[in-house]
Amino acid sequence: MTLVLHGRRVVGGVVEGEALVSHETISGWGGIDPAKGTIIERRHELHGVCFTGKILVFPGAKGSSGWSGFFQTTRLLGTAPVGMIFTVTTTKAALGAVVTRVPTVTDLDRDPVEAINTGDWVRIDADNGIVEIKRAAEPVDSAGQP
C-alpha cells in the first residue's frame, strides 16, 4: 500500500530513498557533524545517527542561522541527505534545503513526522509537491535496526 501526501515545493526535483524520521527539530550549528552526516546534539533522539543518503523527515529547524552553512557543507562533503521533508517552514530550514540542493517539500496535508516511519521507502516529487510512502516490510528504529 502506498500513502500519498501533497504539499509545497521548497526545492524542486525527484528523488527516492529510505526515510529517517526525527520527531524533534534539528539544530544546524552544533547539532550536526557535516563531515560525517550525523546528528551530534547530545539529547537528540537521533544522536549519533547518520542521515547521509536518506530522506530526512523532521518537524523543522531550531537554533541559529548556522543551518545553511552546515547543510551546505554536507552537500560539499557528500554527506547530505538525498531529500528533505519538514513540517514547519522557517527561513533556516528553507535556506538549508536550498543550499543543500536536494528535493524538499513542506506544508503537507498530513504531518509527515506522524505519517512516515524510519525505514519506509519514500519518493519525493517536489516539482509537483507529492510524497509517496511505501511502508517498510518490518518497522525499524532510528538506527535502522528491526
Side-chain angles (χ1 to χ4, degrees):
M1 180 177 140
T2 301
L3 176 64
V4 179
L5 305 179
H6 297 88
R8 186 168 59 93
R9 173 182 71 186
V10 178
V11 177
V14 178
V15 69
E16 291 185 39
E18 184 179 339
L20 175 63
V21 179
S22 170
H23 296 88
E24 300 175 25
T25 54
I26 296 174
S27 177
W29 189 343
I32 68 166
D33 178 346
K36 295 179 180 173
T38 58
I39 306 280
I40 59 171
E41 185 178 343
R42 287 183 173 229
R43 284 175 264 185
H44 197 280
E45 68 179 308
L46 297 181
H47 179 262
V49 176
C50 182
F51 53 72
T52 303
K54 305 280 176 103
I55 304 282
L56 186 58
V57 182
F58 59 106
K62 68 177 176 182
S64 73
S65 58
W67 237 86
S68 57
F70 276 75
F71 272 87
Q72 179 188 33
T73 303
T74 66
R75 178 180 59 84
L76 296 172
L77 296 174
T79 60
V82 295
M84 293 189 205
I85 301 170
F86 49 82
T87 308
V88 178
T89 304
T90 63
T91 54
K92 292 176 212 131
L95 184 56
V98 168
V99 298
T100 307
R101 300 181 188 169
V102 295
T104 303
V105 292
T106 187
D107 299 333
L108 295 153
D109 53 5
R110 186 170 164 191
D111 185 348
V113 172
E114 298 304 321
I116 303 171
N117 298 315
T118 293
D120 287 348
W121 192 257
V122 175
R123 181 178 188 271
I124 299 174
D125 176 354
D127 295 330
N128 294 298
I130 298 171
V131 174
E132 297 175 5
I133 304 141
K134 292 181 182 171
R135 293 283 180 223
E138 187 174 328
V140 297
D141 65 16
S142 60
Q145 301 299 313

